[in-house]
Amino acid sequence: MREVNNTSNSKNINFQGIQARKEAQPAPAMETREITDLGRMPAEVIGRSQVTKSSLEKDIAFLSNNIEKVEKLDKYCDQLMENGYSYEQACALTGVAAEEFYGM
């Protein structure tokens, strides 16, 4: 702060000790890879593991063969949400109940 004299007058500013700003250097270029095989992308693999053909077919088969049981599970899910559980929690508990009581 030697450039600024301790006075309230702006005419007493000394610019002789200040060096000019150097030009900013661009960041070095990074090498990028393009993923052409979509089967190796992590997001695609996670999505594929969440919805598999076998589990989807199993759920549809259970639904079509056990309409009354599915209606009871749906009512149970609604009751859980009415009692303060979030939608995600109620669905998780309903899934556990379906596995426990109906062997789904």
Side-chain angles (χ1 to χ4, degrees):
M1 295 296 292
R2 292 185 212 150
E3 298 86 22
V4 179
N5 294 331
N6 292 330
T7 62
S8 62
N9 190 350
S10 63
K11 295 179 184 177
N12 293 331
I13 298 176
N14 180 7
F15 291 104
Q16 293 178 356
I18 300 175
Q19 296 179 358
R21 182 182 288 185
K22 296 181 181 177
E23 286 291 322
Q25 297 291 329
M30 293 182 61
E31 204 172 303
T32 59
R33 294 184 310 164
E34 182 178 351
I35 299 175
T36 56
D37 182 13
L38 297 179
R40 294 182 184 212
M41 292 183 65
E44 196 274 336
V45 172
I46 291 170
R48 185 175 50 208
S49 68
Q50 291 176 350
V51 180
T52 61
K53 188 174 183 181
S54 61
S55 67
L56 183 62
E57 289 175 353
K58 179 182 166 186
D59 291 344
I60 291 173
F62 181 81
L63 174 64
S64 62
N65 295 331
N66 302 297
I67 295 174
E68 298 84 18
K69 292 177 182 178
V70 172
E71 288 176 353
K72 287 180 183 179
L73 289 169
D74 190 40
K75 288 180 184 178
Y76 176 64
C77 185
D78 291 340
Q79 287 176 349
L80 289 172
M81 288 190 295
E82 288 172 3
N83 290 327
Y85 288 95
S86 69
Y87 176 77
E88 292 81 12
Q89 293 170 334
C91 288
L93 289 171
T94 303
V96 170
E99 290 175 6
E100 181 70 26
F101 297 119
Y102 303 124
M104 206 183 128

